[in-house]
Amino acid sequence: MMIQLRESKKESRENKPQNHVRTIGQVPKEIVENPLLNAAIEKLPTNYNFEIHKTVWRIRENESKRVALQMPEGLLLFATTISDILEEFTDVECVILGDIVYGACCVDDYTCRALKCDFMVHYGHSCLVPIDKMPDLNVLYVFVDVDIDVQHAIETIKLNFSNNKKLIFVSTIQFISSVHIISDELRMLGFTVIVPQSKPLSPGEILGCTSPRVTADSDALIYIGDGRFHLESMMISNPEIAAYKYDPYSKKITRECYDHTRMKNSRKIAIETASKSAVIGIILGTLGRQGSINIVNQLKSLIENCGKSYIVVLLSEVFPDKLALRMLVRGFKQLVRD
């Protein structure tokens, strides 16, 4: 459930997102100032940073021949354009991985190796799976930082909250740079602002499966982003704090609610149903780096100690219709992360 609050009518100059300063780093000048490459990059949205210059440099530096591009569904519409650019300005063949990508744990280096790719670019998530955990494959994480109208966000928050409030700010990796700009500005205006961290994630970053616990004396939790998937993770972890969402695309702020009682009751019923079953299903997620064999083995031992049997089911995605086909199993335990 959501309740829309007052939105600011003030826009930043020329009603355009404020571009953040981006560091090119060690990318050679001949790549950064290549007029043909820069013209090709203009085909992509100007407020999305796909780090094309850095990608071209890294591919050339590693002398890669086959590159896998992996990105969440919201970015897939740019995949063919990026592929065309990389193939034109490097000596590579690009492979677009079309499987669903839910989060940072879906990095699919296994499929890349099966396709004989020697380089992978993973878009839209932070480095939850370290590069050194993926041997024999060059990996580049591109966060896809998105520029938003931070001034409109600040004015909207000022309009709805007094500066004696204690505010918590979180977001996904795409908007983290904007979160820090907004937070710094509000602190200068007298707000008490906290940007929590759940390591190894960046300060303020949350995932659908990972959110930090914050102090209950905070007045409001504000999520910068669209959708509710990541926000609900934070709301479940912090049920006592009022939650709000500022959508940088619609430029609206809304009060967001979550029915914790209903969720707990549903889980309780599921646990009670599973406890009466003689056969327990263990779902091991196979999407990218999801799942842990060690935890599967621990669960198998616990189930055996209770005098029950188990079935291990490997699934990349969990669908009720698929589970319904296994009629002997009344309870399933889903395991998708380490």
Side-chain angles (χ1 to χ4, degrees):
M1 183 179 75
M2 71 176 186
I3 303 171
Q4 185 172 326
L5 307 183
R6 294 179 292 173
E7 60 179 286
S8 173
K9 301 301 181 183
K10 296 182 180 180
E11 304 274 339
S12 63
R13 194 163 14 193
E14 297 181 0
N15 192 26
K16 293 181 179 179
Q18 296 180 343
N19 289 324
H20 305 152
V21 176
R22 290 167 174 166
T23 303
I24 295 297
Q26 300 177 349
V27 180
K29 184 177 180 180
E30 59 267 23
I31 294 179
V32 176
E33 297 181 359
N34 185 319
L36 296 178
L37 175 57
N38 291 332
I41 292 173
E42 290 179 359
K43 298 176 183 178
L44 297 167
T46 57
N47 61 322
Y48 282 59
N49 184 9
F50 288 101
E51 300 188 41
I52 299 297
H53 295 103
K54 181 179 179 180
T55 306
V56 169
W57 171 53
R58 286 286 306 277
I59 291 173
R60 290 181 180 179
E61 185 182 48
N62 288 284
E63 299 181 348
S64 300
K65 296 301 179 183
R66 178 174 287 183
V67 176
L69 307 180
Q70 186 184 30
M71 55 190 69
E73 283 189 330
L75 297 177
L76 271 177
L77 72 161
F78 306 118
T80 54
T81 302
I82 294 173
S83 175
D84 289 344
I85 293 173
L86 296 181
E87 289 186 346
E88 181 176 353
F89 293 95
T90 65
D91 185 22
V92 298
E93 174 191 6
C94 286
V95 177
I96 299 171
L97 303 183
D99 287 340
I100 191 74
V101 177
Y102 289 114
C105 56
C106 298
V107 175
D108 199 353
D109 55 307
Y110 299 125
T111 296
C112 290
R113 291 192 190 88
L115 295 172
K116 301 187 184 305
C117 295
D118 52 10
F119 196 102
M120 175 174 67
V121 187
H122 182 89
Y123 295 90
H125 299 109
S126 57
C127 314
L128 188 64
V129 180
I131 292 174
D132 59 7
K133 297 293 184 182
M134 295 177 279
D136 306 321
L137 181 68
N138 293 302
V139 180
L140 175 64
Y141 283 93
V142 176
F143 298 159
V144 192
D145 181 66
V146 179
D147 285 337
I148 67 171
D149 190 343
V150 294
Q151 194 56 47
H152 182 274
I154 292 168
E155 294 297 333
T156 300
I157 292 166
K158 286 167 55 180
L159 187 64
N160 288 279
F161 301 94
S162 58
N163 65 357
N164 63 344
K165 299 297 184 181
K166 183 177 181 180
L167 306 179
I168 307 289
F169 280 88
V170 294
S171 186
T172 56
I173 193 66
Q174 286 78 28
F175 304 110
I176 285 299
S177 59
S178 296
V179 164
H180 292 294
I181 294 172
I182 294 168
S183 299
D184 290 343
E185 181 70 22
L186 291 176
R187 289 189 185 104
M188 294 175 62
L189 296 173
F191 287 86
T192 300
V193 177
I194 297 175
V195 181
Q197 182 178 14
S198 181
K199 294 182 178 180
L201 304 181
S202 302
E205 181 189 1
I206 60 173
L207 303 176
C209 58
T210 307
S211 291
R213 280 281 296 167
V214 296
T215 55
D217 62 342
S218 302
D219 295 295
L221 160 68
I222 302 177
Y223 169 73
I224 306 294
D226 58 332
R228 275 179 56 102
F229 177 66
H230 298 86
L231 173 60
E232 287 186 358
S233 169
M234 193 69 182
M235 294 167 71
I236 291 172
S237 297
N238 301 275
E240 65 280 354
I241 303 176
Y244 300 82
K245 178 180 71 174
Y246 175 80
D247 189 322
Y249 299 111
S250 67
K251 293 188 176 182
K252 297 182 185 296
I253 188 169
T254 52
R255 172 73 165 91
E256 301 291 328
C257 301
Y258 187 88
D259 193 338
H260 293 87
T261 300
R262 181 181 177 186
M263 180 268 289
K264 291 178 180 178
N265 288 338
S266 297
R267 289 178 66 88
K268 182 179 179 181
I269 292 172
I271 292 170
E272 290 176 347
T273 301
S275 67
K276 299 173 184 177
S277 176
V279 182
I280 304 295
I282 303 174
I283 301 173
L284 176 63
T286 60
L287 190 62
R289 284 291 187 130
Q290 290 186 352
S292 167
I293 297 298
N294 290 333
I295 297 179
V296 168
N297 291 332
Q298 293 176 26
L299 289 173
K300 287 161 63 175
S301 297
L302 290 171
I303 293 171
E304 287 175 341
N305 292 338
C306 293
K308 297 178 182 292
S309 301
Y310 59 81
I311 295 177
V312 178
V313 181
L314 307 183
L315 288 176
S316 59
E317 295 183 75
V318 180
F319 296 108
D321 290 344
K322 279 189 176 181
L323 301 184
L325 297 177
R326 297 164 175 83
M327 301 304 293
L328 290 176
V329 181
R330 295 184 62 189
F332 279 94
K333 167 63 180 174
Q334 182 182 0
L335 178 63
V336 295
R337 285 195 71 239
D338 239 324

